Amino acid sequence: MPQFVDDRLNEFLQSDGGSIAHLGPSGSFSHEVCSSISSRVRPEPRRTFGDVIDAVVTQNVDYGLIPIYNTIAGQIIAGWSALLDSGVIAVGAYVHRISLALLAREGATLSTIRRVVSHSAALRQSSHWQRRMLIGAQVSHSTAAGAALVSRTRSRELAAIGSPNLADRYNLSLVAHDIANDVDNETTFLLIQRQNDTAATDNKFQRTSQICCPVSPNVLLSRVAPEGERANE
């Protein structure tokens, strides 16, 4: 379940929704999290983490969603890099279970696939499987973008690694399930909001941040939330 700095935010998301910028296109794990937070949320896909931050700072959306830690891959550096000195604050955290599948065009099999494409974090999470299969890898800006690329190609040698839900969305076949290095695979996402000009500056993400391995959303929010405010235990 999501953990929020303020219960009123959860009430707002459940009743009124709001727009959340996330790493797209549709079908990415960030998109799945947006849908899990509230059925009233309006997901707004963006191409990069920087684009997500920009959408929040310029108030084109109400919130943004950034993945910052995975139990297999560790810190998601691109997410943290976008957050540092960005002028946003964390108002919520969400731990999402990650299931990785191999997706390809109809007719592709493990014997025909020579290369996989996915976000760098997903590639790290499935590195053991890739080594066993002696398969090459290329990086896309998101898992969904990799699936979209495979969907556009006629080749049976290229496959995507991402959520099983991408199969129906991009008309792909599920070639293999549960290919992550560990079945206990979870990613922590931060729900972010534009920094209020009147808020204390120490609420921002500074380059001195030492957060690297959040134990739980509550612990994480206790370190990035405004002073004196913590997620509800």
Side-chain angles (χ1 to χ4, degrees), residues 31-70:
H31 182 228
E32 288 187 356
V33 173
C34 286
S35 301
S36 298
I37 290 175
S38 170
S39 61
R40 294 184 177 273
V41 160
R42 300 186 303 278
E44 297 279 352
R46 294 295 189 274
R47 191 177 189 280
T48 68
F49 293 132
D51 293 339
V52 172
I53 299 295
D54 289 343
V56 174
V57 172
T58 59
Q59 296 182 298
N60 287 325
V61 295
D62 298 309
Y63 306 98
L65 192 72
I66 298 285
I68 49 91
Y69 180 78
N70 176 264

PDB file of all heavy atoms in Angstrom, residues 31-70:
ATOM      1  N   HIS A  31       3.691   3.204 -14.726  1.00  0.00           N
ATOM      2  CA  HIS A  31       2.284   3.322 -15.098  1.00  0.00           C
ATOM      3  C   HIS A  31       1.436   2.386 -14.245  1.00  0.00           C
ATOM      4  O   HIS A  31       0.336   2.756 -13.790  1.00  0.00           O
ATOM      5  CB  HIS A  31       2.113   2.999 -16.579  1.00  0.00           C
ATOM      6  CG  HIS A  31       0.714   3.136 -17.084  1.00  0.00           C
ATOM      7  ND1 HIS A  31       0.090   2.172 -17.845  1.00  0.00           N
ATOM      8  CD2 HIS A  31      -0.211   4.115 -16.917  1.00  0.00           C
ATOM      9  CE1 HIS A  31      -1.136   2.558 -18.130  1.00  0.00           C
ATOM     10  NE2 HIS A  31      -1.351   3.731 -17.577  1.00  0.00           N
ATOM     11  N   GLU A  32       1.924   1.172 -13.991  1.00  0.00           N
ATOM     12  CA  GLU A  32       1.199   0.233 -13.136  1.00  0.00           C
ATOM     13  C   GLU A  32       1.005   0.811 -11.736  1.00  0.00           C
ATOM     14  O   GLU A  32      -0.067   0.666 -11.135  1.00  0.00           O
ATOM     15  CB  GLU A  32       1.954  -1.094 -13.043  1.00  0.00           C
ATOM     16  CG  GLU A  32       1.908  -1.936 -14.299  1.00  0.00           C
ATOM     17  CD  GLU A  32       2.536  -3.308 -14.102  1.00  0.00           C
ATOM     18  OE1 GLU A  32       3.079  -3.575 -12.998  1.00  0.00           O
ATOM     19  OE2 GLU A  32       2.483  -4.109 -15.044  1.00  0.00           O
ATOM     20  N   VAL A  33       2.053   1.465 -11.217  1.00  0.00           N
ATOM     21  CA  VAL A  33       1.957   2.042  -9.875  1.00  0.00           C
ATOM     22  C   VAL A  33       0.917   3.153  -9.839  1.00  0.00           C
ATOM     23  O   VAL A  33       0.120   3.249  -8.905  1.00  0.00           O
ATOM     24  CB  VAL A  33       3.324   2.563  -9.407  1.00  0.00           C
ATOM     25  CG1 VAL A  33       3.196   3.314  -8.081  1.00  0.00           C
ATOM     26  CG2 VAL A  33       4.301   1.408  -9.237  1.00  0.00           C
ATOM     27  N   CYS A  34       0.922   4.011 -10.844  1.00  0.00           N
ATOM     28  CA  CYS A  34      -0.082   5.086 -10.912  1.00  0.00           C
ATOM     29  C   CYS A  34      -1.492   4.500 -10.819  1.00  0.00           C
ATOM     30  O   CYS A  34      -2.341   5.006 -10.086  1.00  0.00           O
ATOM     31  CB  CYS A  34       0.058   5.867 -12.214  1.00  0.00           C
ATOM     32  SG  CYS A  34       1.487   6.964 -12.280  1.00  0.00           S
ATOM     33  N   SER A  35      -1.727   3.442 -11.564  1.00  0.00           N
ATOM     34  CA  SER A  35      -3.048   2.811 -11.568  1.00  0.00           C
ATOM     35  C   SER A  35      -3.361   2.172 -10.222  1.00  0.00           C
ATOM     36  O   SER A  35      -4.528   2.078  -9.828  1.00  0.00           O
ATOM     37  CB  SER A  35      -3.120   1.760 -12.678  1.00  0.00           C
ATOM     38  OG  SER A  35      -2.883   2.347 -13.947  1.00  0.00           O
ATOM     39  N   SER A  36      -2.326   1.725  -9.503  1.00  0.00           N
ATOM     40  CA  SER A  36      -2.531   1.079  -8.202  1.00  0.00           C
ATOM     41  C   SER A  36      -2.853   2.096  -7.113  1.00  0.00           C
ATOM     42  O   SER A  36      -3.557   1.781  -6.144  1.00  0.00           O
ATOM     43  CB  SER A  36      -1.285   0.291  -7.799  1.00  0.00           C
ATOM     44  OG  SER A  36      -1.008  -0.734  -8.727  1.00  0.00           O
ATOM     45  N   ILE A  37      -2.330   3.307  -7.243  1.00  0.00           N
ATOM     46  CA  ILE A  37      -2.546   4.320  -6.212  1.00  0.00           C
ATOM     47  C   ILE A  37      -4.024   4.679  -6.107  1.00  0.00           C
ATOM     48  O   ILE A  37      -4.590   4.752  -5.019  1.00  0.00           O
ATOM     49  CB  ILE A  37      -1.706   5.576  -6.513  1.00  0.00           C
ATOM     50  CG1 ILE A  37      -0.210   5.259  -6.306  1.00  0.00           C
ATOM     51  CG2 ILE A  37      -2.120   6.741  -5.628  1.00  0.00           C
ATOM     52  CD1 ILE A  37       0.712   6.387  -6.693  1.00  0.00           C
ATOM     53  N   SER A  38      -4.666   4.902  -7.251  1.00  0.00           N
ATOM     54  CA  SER A  38      -6.089   5.249  -7.251  1.00  0.00           C
ATOM     55  C   SER A  38      -6.638   5.107  -8.659  1.00  0.00           C
ATOM     56  O   SER A  38      -5.969   5.461  -9.634  1.00  0.00           O
ATOM     57  CB  SER A  38      -6.304   6.680  -6.750  1.00  0.00           C
ATOM     58  OG  SER A  38      -7.648   7.096  -6.957  1.00  0.00           O
ATOM     59  N   SER A  39      -7.857   4.628  -8.759  1.00  0.00           N
ATOM     60  CA  SER A  39      -8.489   4.510 -10.069  1.00  0.00           C
ATOM     61  C   SER A  39      -8.829   5.869 -10.653  1.00  0.00           C
ATOM     62  O   SER A  39      -9.097   5.988 -11.853  1.00  0.00           O
ATOM     63  CB  SER A  39      -9.773   3.667  -9.954  1.00  0.00           C
ATOM     64  OG  SER A  39     -10.700   4.283  -9.069  1.00  0.00           O
ATOM     65  N   ARG A  40      -8.798   6.899  -9.828  1.00  0.00           N
ATOM     66  CA  ARG A  40      -9.119   8.250 -10.301  1.00  0.00           C
ATOM     67  C   ARG A  40      -7.893   9.020 -10.792  1.00  0.00           C
ATOM     68  O   ARG A  40      -8.021  10.119 -11.333  1.00  0.00           O
ATOM     69  CB  ARG A  40      -9.812   9.043  -9.184  1.00  0.00           C
ATOM     70  CG  ARG A  40     -11.183   8.492  -8.804  1.00  0.00           C
ATOM     71  CD  ARG A  40     -11.854   9.368  -7.769  1.00  0.00           C
ATOM     72  NE  ARG A  40     -13.185   8.881  -7.447  1.00  0.00           N
ATOM     73  CZ  ARG A  40     -14.283   9.209  -8.110  1.00  0.00           C
ATOM     74  NH1 ARG A  40     -14.202  10.030  -9.139  1.00  0.00           N
ATOM     75  NH2 ARG A  40     -15.453   8.728  -7.751  1.00  0.00           N
ATOM     76  N   VAL A  41      -6.729   8.454 -10.580  1.00  0.00           N
ATOM     77  CA  VAL A  41      -5.495   9.111 -11.030  1.00  0.00           C
ATOM     78  C   VAL A  41      -5.427   9.130 -12.551  1.00  0.00           C
ATOM     79  O   VAL A  41      -5.809   8.168 -13.214  1.00  0.00           O
ATOM     80  CB  VAL A  41      -4.270   8.377 -10.445  1.00  0.00           C
ATOM     81  CG1 VAL A  41      -3.003   8.685 -11.237  1.00  0.00           C
ATOM     82  CG2 VAL A  41      -4.070   8.768  -8.987  1.00  0.00           C
ATOM     83  N   ARG A  42      -4.925  10.220 -13.104  1.00  0.00           N
ATOM     84  CA  ARG A  42      -4.722  10.341 -14.549  1.00  0.00           C
ATOM     85  C   ARG A  42      -3.233  10.217 -14.850  1.00  0.00           C
ATOM     86  O   ARG A  42      -2.475  11.191 -14.675  1.00  0.00           O
ATOM     87  CB  ARG A  42      -5.263  11.675 -15.061  1.00  0.00           C
ATOM     88  CG  ARG A  42      -6.744  11.873 -14.817  1.00  0.00           C
ATOM     89  CD  ARG A  42      -7.262  13.145 -15.476  1.00  0.00           C
ATOM     90  NE  ARG A  42      -6.539  14.335 -15.030  1.00  0.00           N
ATOM     91  CZ  ARG A  42      -6.804  14.973 -13.886  1.00  0.00           C
ATOM     92  NH1 ARG A  42      -7.730  14.514 -13.059  1.00  0.00           N
ATOM     93  NH2 ARG A  42      -6.124  16.053 -13.574  1.00  0.00           N
ATOM     94  N   PRO A  43      -2.777   9.046 -15.298  1.00  0.00           N
ATOM     95  CA  PRO A  43      -1.354   8.883 -15.625  1.00  0.00           C
ATOM     96  C   PRO A  43      -0.967   9.733 -16.838  1.00  0.00           C
ATOM     97  O   PRO A  43      -1.689   9.803 -17.824  1.00  0.00           O
ATOM     98  CB  PRO A  43      -1.236   7.385 -15.952  1.00  0.00           C
ATOM     99  CG  PRO A  43      -2.445   6.751 -15.336  1.00  0.00           C
ATOM    100  CD  PRO A  43      -3.526   7.785 -15.441  1.00  0.00           C
ATOM    101  N   GLU A  44       0.196  10.389 -16.741  1.00  0.00           N
ATOM    102  CA  GLU A  44       0.704  11.237 -17.824  1.00  0.00           C
ATOM    103  C   GLU A  44       2.111  10.757 -18.190  1.00  0.00           C
ATOM    104  O   GLU A  44       3.075  11.101 -17.514  1.00  0.00           O
ATOM    105  CB  GLU A  44       0.749  12.704 -17.377  1.00  0.00           C
ATOM    106  CG  GLU A  44      -0.613  13.307 -17.047  1.00  0.00           C
ATOM    107  CD  GLU A  44      -1.361  13.738 -18.298  1.00  0.00           C
ATOM    108  OE1 GLU A  44      -0.753  13.705 -19.382  1.00  0.00           O
ATOM    109  OE2 GLU A  44      -2.542  14.106 -18.175  1.00  0.00           O
ATOM    110  N   PRO A  45       2.244   9.930 -19.227  1.00  0.00           N
ATOM    111  CA  PRO A  45       3.563   9.373 -19.560  1.00  0.00           C
ATOM    112  C   PRO A  45       4.535  10.427 -20.063  1.00  0.00           C
ATOM    113  O   PRO A  45       4.163  11.358 -20.783  1.00  0.00           O
ATOM    114  CB  PRO A  45       3.237   8.346 -20.656  1.00  0.00           C
ATOM    115  CG  PRO A  45       1.939   8.789 -21.235  1.00  0.00           C
ATOM    116  CD  PRO A  45       1.180   9.442 -20.128  1.00  0.00           C
ATOM    117  N   ARG A  46       5.802  10.273 -19.673  1.00  0.00           N
ATOM    118  CA  ARG A  46       6.892  11.115 -20.138  1.00  0.00           C
ATOM    119  C   ARG A  46       8.050  10.215 -20.567  1.00  0.00           C
ATOM    120  O   ARG A  46       8.171   9.079 -20.121  1.00  0.00           O
ATOM    121  CB  ARG A  46       7.363  12.070 -19.047  1.00  0.00           C
ATOM    122  CG  ARG A  46       6.332  13.123 -18.625  1.00  0.00           C
ATOM    123  CD  ARG A  46       6.008  14.076 -19.756  1.00  0.00           C
ATOM    124  NE  ARG A  46       5.184  15.211 -19.331  1.00  0.00           N
ATOM    125  CZ  ARG A  46       3.858  15.205 -19.268  1.00  0.00           C
ATOM    126  NH1 ARG A  46       3.194  14.089 -19.570  1.00  0.00           N
ATOM    127  NH2 ARG A  46       3.190  16.289 -18.902  1.00  0.00           N
ATOM    128  N   ARG A  47       8.927  10.747 -21.415  1.00  0.00           N
ATOM    129  CA  ARG A  47       9.975   9.905 -22.001  1.00  0.00           C
ATOM    130  C   ARG A  47      11.136   9.642 -21.038  1.00  0.00           C
ATOM    131  O   ARG A  47      11.723   8.565 -21.055  1.00  0.00           O
ATOM    132  CB  ARG A  47      10.512  10.544 -23.286  1.00  0.00           C
ATOM    133  CG  ARG A  47      11.413   9.611 -24.095  1.00  0.00           C
ATOM    134  CD  ARG A  47      11.888  10.225 -25.394  1.00  0.00           C
ATOM    135  NE  ARG A  47      12.558   9.236 -26.219  1.00  0.00           N
ATOM    136  CZ  ARG A  47      13.818   8.851 -26.054  1.00  0.00           C
ATOM    137  NH1 ARG A  47      14.542   9.401 -25.091  1.00  0.00           N
ATOM    138  NH2 ARG A  47      14.357   7.928 -26.828  1.00  0.00           N
ATOM    139  N   THR A  48      11.485  10.624 -20.214  1.00  0.00           N
ATOM    140  CA  THR A  48      12.633  10.474 -19.316  1.00  0.00           C
ATOM    141  C   THR A  48      12.257  10.923 -17.907  1.00  0.00           C
ATOM    142  O   THR A  48      11.237  11.602 -17.693  1.00  0.00           O
ATOM    143  CB  THR A  48      13.828  11.324 -19.793  1.00  0.00           C
ATOM    144  OG1 THR A  48      13.498  12.718 -19.648  1.00  0.00           O
ATOM    145  CG2 THR A  48      14.167  11.027 -21.257  1.00  0.00           C
ATOM    146  N   PHE A  49      13.112  10.579 -16.936  1.00  0.00           N
ATOM    147  CA  PHE A  49      12.898  11.046 -15.569  1.00  0.00           C
ATOM    148  C   PHE A  49      12.980  12.566 -15.511  1.00  0.00           C
ATOM    149  O   PHE A  49      12.240  13.214 -14.768  1.00  0.00           O
ATOM    150  CB  PHE A  49      13.933  10.427 -14.630  1.00  0.00           C
ATOM    151  CG  PHE A  49      13.783   8.940 -14.456  1.00  0.00           C
ATOM    152  CD1 PHE A  49      14.881   8.103 -14.557  1.00  0.00           C
ATOM    153  CD2 PHE A  49      12.548   8.376 -14.181  1.00  0.00           C
ATOM    154  CE1 PHE A  49      14.748   6.736 -14.390  1.00  0.00           C
ATOM    155  CE2 PHE A  49      12.407   7.007 -14.014  1.00  0.00           C
ATOM    156  CZ  PHE A  49      13.518   6.186 -14.125  1.00  0.00           C
ATOM    157  N   GLY A  50      13.888  13.140 -16.290  1.00  0.00           N
ATOM    158  CA  GLY A  50      13.983  14.593 -16.343  1.00  0.00           C
ATOM    159  C   GLY A  50      12.700  15.234 -16.829  1.00  0.00           C
ATOM    160  O   GLY A  50      12.287  16.289 -16.323  1.00  0.00           O
ATOM    161  N   ASP A  51      12.057  14.597 -17.799  1.00  0.00           N
ATOM    162  CA  ASP A  51      10.770  15.107 -18.290  1.00  0.00           C
ATOM    163  C   ASP A  51       9.693  15.030 -17.216  1.00  0.00           C
ATOM    164  O   ASP A  51       8.815  15.897 -17.140  1.00  0.00           O
ATOM    165  CB  ASP A  51      10.326  14.316 -19.526  1.00  0.00           C
ATOM    166  CG  ASP A  51      11.228  14.530 -20.734  1.00  0.00           C
ATOM    167  OD1 ASP A  51      11.938  15.563 -20.760  1.00  0.00           O
ATOM    168  OD2 ASP A  51      11.228  13.670 -21.632  1.00  0.00           O
ATOM    169  N   VAL A  52       9.748  13.975 -16.389  1.00  0.00           N
ATOM    170  CA  VAL A  52       8.797  13.853 -15.279  1.00  0.00           C
ATOM    171  C   VAL A  52       8.993  15.020 -14.303  1.00  0.00           C
ATOM    172  O   VAL A  52       8.028  15.675 -13.886  1.00  0.00           O
ATOM    173  CB  VAL A  52       8.980  12.505 -14.544  1.00  0.00           C
ATOM    174  CG1 VAL A  52       8.131  12.468 -13.267  1.00  0.00           C
ATOM    175  CG2 VAL A  52       8.612  11.346 -15.457  1.00  0.00           C
ATOM    176  N   ILE A  53      10.246  15.278 -13.940  1.00  0.00           N
ATOM    177  CA  ILE A  53      10.552  16.375 -13.025  1.00  0.00           C
ATOM    178  C   ILE A  53      10.087  17.703 -13.608  1.00  0.00           C
ATOM    179  O   ILE A  53       9.460  18.527 -12.919  1.00  0.00           O
ATOM    180  CB  ILE A  53      12.054  16.432 -12.727  1.00  0.00           C
ATOM    181  CG1 ILE A  53      12.532  15.136 -12.047  1.00  0.00           C
ATOM    182  CG2 ILE A  53      12.378  17.653 -11.854  1.00  0.00           C
ATOM    183  CD1 ILE A  53      11.969  14.888 -10.690  1.00  0.00           C
ATOM    184  N   ASP A  54      10.394  17.940 -14.874  1.00  0.00           N
ATOM    185  CA  ASP A  54      10.009  19.199 -15.518  1.00  0.00           C
ATOM    186  C   ASP A  54       8.499  19.407 -15.487  1.00  0.00           C
ATOM    187  O   ASP A  54       8.017  20.517 -15.265  1.00  0.00           O
ATOM    188  CB  ASP A  54      10.501  19.233 -16.965  1.00  0.00           C
ATOM    189  CG  ASP A  54      12.012  19.394 -17.069  1.00  0.00           C
ATOM    190  OD1 ASP A  54      12.632  19.792 -16.061  1.00  0.00           O
ATOM    191  OD2 ASP A  54      12.562  19.114 -18.151  1.00  0.00           O
ATOM    192  N   ALA A  55       7.754  18.333 -15.713  1.00  0.00           N
ATOM    193  CA  ALA A  55       6.294  18.436 -15.708  1.00  0.00           C
ATOM    194  C   ALA A  55       5.775  18.834 -14.330  1.00  0.00           C
ATOM    195  O   ALA A  55       4.802  19.586 -14.215  1.00  0.00           O
ATOM    196  CB  ALA A  55       5.670  17.112 -16.141  1.00  0.00           C
ATOM    197  N   VAL A  56       6.435  18.345 -13.284  1.00  0.00           N
ATOM    198  CA  VAL A  56       6.033  18.683 -11.913  1.00  0.00           C
ATOM    199  C   VAL A  56       6.409  20.125 -11.589  1.00  0.00           C
ATOM    200  O   VAL A  56       5.589  20.905 -11.081  1.00  0.00           O
ATOM    201  CB  VAL A  56       6.687  17.721 -10.897  1.00  0.00           C
ATOM    202  CG1 VAL A  56       6.387  18.170  -9.465  1.00  0.00           C
ATOM    203  CG2 VAL A  56       6.194  16.297 -11.120  1.00  0.00           C
ATOM    204  N   VAL A  57       7.649  20.500 -11.893  1.00  0.00           N
ATOM    205  CA  VAL A  57       8.143  21.830 -11.547  1.00  0.00           C
ATOM    206  C   VAL A  57       7.364  22.924 -12.274  1.00  0.00           C
ATOM    207  O   VAL A  57       7.078  23.984 -11.717  1.00  0.00           O
ATOM    208  CB  VAL A  57       9.654  21.935 -11.849  1.00  0.00           C
ATOM    209  CG1 VAL A  57      10.148  23.370 -11.685  1.00  0.00           C
ATOM    210  CG2 VAL A  57      10.440  20.996 -10.935  1.00  0.00           C
ATOM    211  N   THR A  58       7.009  22.668 -13.526  1.00  0.00           N
ATOM    212  CA  THR A  58       6.274  23.662 -14.315  1.00  0.00           C
ATOM    213  C   THR A  58       4.768  23.588 -14.085  1.00  0.00           C
ATOM    214  O   THR A  58       4.012  24.324 -14.710  1.00  0.00           O
ATOM    215  CB  THR A  58       6.563  23.483 -15.811  1.00  0.00           C
ATOM    216  OG1 THR A  58       6.188  22.158 -16.226  1.00  0.00           O
ATOM    217  CG2 THR A  58       8.034  23.696 -16.114  1.00  0.00           C
ATOM    218  N   GLN A  59       4.355  22.690 -13.188  1.00  0.00           N
ATOM    219  CA  GLN A  59       2.946  22.535 -12.807  1.00  0.00           C
ATOM    220  C   GLN A  59       2.056  22.103 -13.968  1.00  0.00           C
ATOM    221  O   GLN A  59       0.865  22.402 -13.997  1.00  0.00           O
ATOM    222  CB  GLN A  59       2.415  23.828 -12.179  1.00  0.00           C
ATOM    223  CG  GLN A  59       3.116  24.192 -10.879  1.00  0.00           C
ATOM    224  CD  GLN A  59       2.557  25.455 -10.234  1.00  0.00           C
ATOM    225  OE1 GLN A  59       2.612  26.529 -10.810  1.00  0.00           O
ATOM    226  NE2 GLN A  59       2.018  25.305  -9.034  1.00  0.00           N
ATOM    227  N   ASN A  60       2.637  21.366 -14.912  1.00  0.00           N
ATOM    228  CA  ASN A  60       1.822  20.765 -15.967  1.00  0.00           C
ATOM    229  C   ASN A  60       1.062  19.548 -15.457  1.00  0.00           C
ATOM    230  O   ASN A  60       0.097  19.098 -16.083  1.00  0.00           O
ATOM    231  CB  ASN A  60       2.701  20.360 -17.149  1.00  0.00           C
ATOM    232  CG  ASN A  60       3.179  21.557 -17.945  1.00  0.00           C
ATOM    233  OD1 ASN A  60       2.450  22.534 -18.090  1.00  0.00           O
ATOM    234  ND2 ASN A  60       4.398  21.496 -18.451  1.00  0.00           N
ATOM    235  N   VAL A  61       1.520  19.000 -14.330  1.00  0.00           N
ATOM    236  CA  VAL A  61       0.837  17.883 -13.671  1.00  0.00           C
ATOM    237  C   VAL A  61       0.804  18.167 -12.181  1.00  0.00           C
ATOM    238  O   VAL A  61       1.514  19.038 -11.677  1.00  0.00           O
ATOM    239  CB  VAL A  61       1.556  16.540 -13.930  1.00  0.00           C
ATOM    240  CG1 VAL A  61       1.520  16.165 -15.402  1.00  0.00           C
ATOM    241  CG2 VAL A  61       2.988  16.579 -13.405  1.00  0.00           C
ATOM    242  N   ASP A  62      -0.016  17.407 -11.465  1.00  0.00           N
ATOM    243  CA  ASP A  62      -0.113  17.586 -10.013  1.00  0.00           C
ATOM    244  C   ASP A  62       1.048  16.924  -9.273  1.00  0.00           C
ATOM    245  O   ASP A  62       1.553  17.460  -8.286  1.00  0.00           O
ATOM    246  CB  ASP A  62      -1.437  17.004  -9.507  1.00  0.00           C
ATOM    247  CG  ASP A  62      -2.645  17.699 -10.088  1.00  0.00           C
ATOM    248  OD1 ASP A  62      -2.696  18.943 -10.023  1.00  0.00           O
ATOM    249  OD2 ASP A  62      -3.531  17.001 -10.616  1.00  0.00           O
ATOM    250  N   TYR A  63       1.448  15.739  -9.754  1.00  0.00           N
ATOM    251  CA  TYR A  63       2.479  14.963  -9.082  1.00  0.00           C
ATOM    252  C   TYR A  63       3.368  14.278 -10.115  1.00  0.00           C
ATOM    253  O   TYR A  63       3.049  14.229 -11.303  1.00  0.00           O
ATOM    254  CB  TYR A  63       1.864  13.887  -8.168  1.00  0.00           C
ATOM    255  CG  TYR A  63       0.876  14.426  -7.165  1.00  0.00           C
ATOM    256  CD1 TYR A  63      -0.491  14.370  -7.415  1.00  0.00           C
ATOM    257  CD2 TYR A  63       1.313  14.976  -5.975  1.00  0.00           C
ATOM    258  CE1 TYR A  63      -1.401  14.874  -6.504  1.00  0.00           C
ATOM    259  CE2 TYR A  63       0.403  15.485  -5.054  1.00  0.00           C
ATOM    260  CZ  TYR A  63      -0.953  15.434  -5.325  1.00  0.00           C
ATOM    261  OH  TYR A  63      -1.843  15.937  -4.426  1.00  0.00           O
ATOM    262  N   GLY A  64       4.460  13.720  -9.615  1.00  0.00           N
ATOM    263  CA  GLY A  64       5.321  12.888 -10.446  1.00  0.00           C
ATOM    264  C   GLY A  64       5.646  11.614  -9.696  1.00  0.00           C
ATOM    265  O   GLY A  64       5.510  11.537  -8.470  1.00  0.00           O
ATOM    266  N   LEU A  65       6.069  10.592 -10.423  1.00  0.00           N
ATOM    267  CA  LEU A  65       6.415   9.308  -9.822  1.00  0.00           C
ATOM    268  C   LEU A  65       7.794   8.894 -10.331  1.00  0.00           C
ATOM    269  O   LEU A  65       8.013   8.801 -11.537  1.00  0.00           O
ATOM    270  CB  LEU A  65       5.378   8.253 -10.190  1.00  0.00           C
ATOM    271  CG  LEU A  65       5.449   6.943  -9.415  1.00  0.00           C
ATOM    272  CD1 LEU A  65       4.962   7.144  -7.977  1.00  0.00           C
ATOM    273  CD2 LEU A  65       4.611   5.862 -10.090  1.00  0.00           C
ATOM    274  N   ILE A  66       8.715   8.657  -9.398  1.00  0.00           N
ATOM    275  CA  ILE A  66      10.096   8.325  -9.748  1.00  0.00           C
ATOM    276  C   ILE A  66      10.535   7.073  -8.991  1.00  0.00           C
ATOM    277  O   ILE A  66      10.454   7.026  -7.758  1.00  0.00           O
ATOM    278  CB  ILE A  66      11.058   9.474  -9.388  1.00  0.00           C
ATOM    279  CG1 ILE A  66      10.714  10.744 -10.159  1.00  0.00           C
ATOM    280  CG2 ILE A  66      12.504   9.070  -9.651  1.00  0.00           C
ATOM    281  CD1 ILE A  66      11.104  10.725 -11.618  1.00  0.00           C
ATOM    282  N   PRO A  67      11.017   6.028  -9.690  1.00  0.00           N
ATOM    283  CA  PRO A  67      11.576   4.858  -8.994  1.00  0.00           C
ATOM    284  C   PRO A  67      12.986   5.178  -8.505  1.00  0.00           C
ATOM    285  O   PRO A  67      13.782   5.765  -9.238  1.00  0.00           O
ATOM    286  CB  PRO A  67      11.600   3.784 -10.087  1.00  0.00           C
ATOM    287  CG  PRO A  67      11.752   4.551 -11.364  1.00  0.00           C
ATOM    288  CD  PRO A  67      11.028   5.858 -11.153  1.00  0.00           C
ATOM    289  N   ILE A  68      13.279   4.791  -7.255  1.00  0.00           N
ATOM    290  CA  ILE A  68      14.603   5.158  -6.723  1.00  0.00           C
ATOM    291  C   ILE A  68      15.391   3.975  -6.156  1.00  0.00           C
ATOM    292  O   ILE A  68      16.592   4.091  -5.930  1.00  0.00           O
ATOM    293  CB  ILE A  68      14.493   6.277  -5.677  1.00  0.00           C
ATOM    294  CG1 ILE A  68      13.417   5.984  -4.616  1.00  0.00           C
ATOM    295  CG2 ILE A  68      14.124   7.604  -6.355  1.00  0.00           C
ATOM    296  CD1 ILE A  68      13.895   5.272  -3.413  1.00  0.00           C
ATOM    297  N   TYR A  69      14.737   2.834  -5.936  1.00  0.00           N
ATOM    298  CA  TYR A  69      15.471   1.704  -5.344  1.00  0.00           C
ATOM    299  C   TYR A  69      14.809   0.386  -5.722  1.00  0.00           C
ATOM    300  O   TYR A  69      13.583   0.272  -5.706  1.00  0.00           O
ATOM    301  CB  TYR A  69      15.520   1.831  -3.817  1.00  0.00           C
ATOM    302  CG  TYR A  69      16.269   0.696  -3.151  1.00  0.00           C
ATOM    303  CD1 TYR A  69      17.655   0.672  -3.136  1.00  0.00           C
ATOM    304  CD2 TYR A  69      15.582  -0.368  -2.571  1.00  0.00           C
ATOM    305  CE1 TYR A  69      18.341  -0.379  -2.547  1.00  0.00           C
ATOM    306  CE2 TYR A  69      16.255  -1.420  -1.979  1.00  0.00           C
ATOM    307  CZ  TYR A  69      17.639  -1.421  -1.977  1.00  0.00           C
ATOM    308  OH  TYR A  69      18.312  -2.459  -1.412  1.00  0.00           O
ATOM    309  N   ASN A  70      15.635  -0.606  -6.064  1.00  0.00           N
ATOM    310  CA  ASN A  70      15.152  -1.950  -6.362  1.00  0.00           C
ATOM    311  C   ASN A  70      15.918  -2.945  -5.507  1.00  0.00           C
ATOM    312  O   ASN A  70      17.127  -2.813  -5.303  1.00  0.00           O
ATOM    313  CB  ASN A  70      15.332  -2.267  -7.846  1.00  0.00           C
ATOM    314  CG  ASN A  70      14.943  -3.691  -8.192  1.00  0.00           C
ATOM    315  OD1 ASN A  70      15.782  -4.579  -8.257  1.00  0.00           O
ATOM    316  ND2 ASN A  70      13.645  -3.921  -8.403  1.00  0.00           N
TER     317      ASN A  70
END
